[in-house]
Amino acid sequence: MEYWDEKLLEAKRELEYQKHTTLQTGMYAGEELFTFSWWDLPQSQIRIQLPDQFVEMPEPVRAVKYPSKEAPKYIWTSLDSTVNICFNVIPMVLKDGELGDMIGYFRDALQNINPSVTVRNQKETMTRQGNEMCWFEYKGHHLDGQTYDRVYLIRMRKCVLHGTFICLERDRHPWERIAEQIFLAVEENL
């Protein structure tokens, strides 16, 4: 037999979650409410809303989790380092429609390096500011275990923003919608 106080608490929790569904109001991942602030990508005109609870990944952690010289230049991470949002600026100008080819090269390179990777849900869309954006997702394997990974490319006026989102596979569902909102909100100062 269910108790009314449990139902009341569940209804209150659901109402609280419904109030926090955007980057402006904050978003829940599990039981934790994440708030967001704008961050200017150094030496670019690009702005990104990132969780206030994240930090730039410390160099000792970065050296272990991303030892390759091809590691992303900017890595923001949760305090337990299980959720990472990474960025690189690629200094190239693309024409309309060329971003789809570029994301295909990224996907093919990933699968050539690791044939066990199965790419899912490749999409082409636009950011809220109107920049062309492509992304795909796959299950990866990192130091923390099986991960949910998304690779983003966003065509800007004078460059391409390469973004990667990584979290543990078990945390995928709350974080995939947060990642989507973060990348849809990327802006370029004009």
Side-chain angles (χ1 to χ4, degrees):
M1 178 162 150
E2 291 191 58
Y3 296 101
W4 284 105
D5 56 344
E6 289 175 7
K7 286 188 175 195
L8 183 61
L9 283 174
E10 186 177 318
K12 279 184 166 182
R13 189 177 312 117
E14 184 60 34
L15 282 173
E16 179 68 16
Y17 275 67
Q18 289 175 6
K19 290 192 295 187
H20 299 284
T21 59
T22 68
L23 299 179
Q24 290 72 32
T25 62
M27 297 178 80
Y28 275 95
E31 298 293 318
E32 187 172 357
L33 175 63
F34 287 87
T35 56
F36 299 83
S37 296
W38 287 102
W39 178 67
D40 294 322
L41 195 62
Q43 302 171 352
S44 77
Q45 297 295 312
I46 301 170
R47 296 171 16 129
I48 303 159
Q49 283 185 282
L50 294 172
D52 294 325
Q53 296 83 346
F54 280 33
V55 297
E56 198 157 357
M57 185 174 277
E59 194 56 45
V61 177
R62 181 187 177 104
V64 172
K65 287 191 82 149
Y66 296 91
S68 168
K69 66 179 180 133
E70 303 298 324
K73 185 165 184 172
Y74 306 103
I75 305 171
W76 286 85
T77 187
S78 57
L79 295 179
D80 65 359
S81 77
T82 61
V83 181
N84 300 306
I85 305 169
C86 313
F87 304 99
N88 278 322
V89 175
I90 303 169
M92 71 183 340
V93 177
L94 296 178
K95 296 177 185 161
D96 283 345
E98 291 181 330
L99 195 66
D101 294 336
M102 189 174 191
I103 198 82
Y105 300 140
F106 273 70
R107 181 195 62 233
D108 293 347
L110 175 67
Q111 289 177 315
N112 285 338
I113 291 168
N114 188 349
S116 68
V117 166
T118 302
V119 172
R120 305 174 296 193
N121 297 327
Q122 182 170 323
K123 298 209 176 172
E124 294 184 23
T125 188
M126 302 289 259
T127 65
R128 288 192 190 102
Q129 193 178 43
N131 295 76
E132 192 178 351
M133 178 171 75
C134 295
W135 62 267
F136 64 84
E137 62 188 8
Y138 65 96
K139 283 186 185 178
H141 298 278
H142 296 269
L143 290 176
D144 300 321
Q146 190 170 35
T147 58
Y148 170 74
D149 300 56
R150 273 197 184 180
V151 175
Y152 287 87
L153 291 178
I154 302 174
R155 184 173 69 92
M156 304 301 205
R157 287 178 302 129
K158 297 181 181 178
C159 65
V160 174
L161 178 65
H162 170 222
T164 306
F165 172 79
I166 303 165
C167 72
L168 295 175
E169 177 65 29
R170 70 173 185 250
D171 298 332
R172 169 188 178 181
H173 294 292
W175 277 105
E176 67 184 327
R177 76 186 161 75
I178 293 172
E180 185 172 334
Q181 293 302 310
I182 288 170
F183 284 96
L184 284 170
V186 167
E187 290 184 359
E188 182 177 27
N189 295 326
L190 304 173

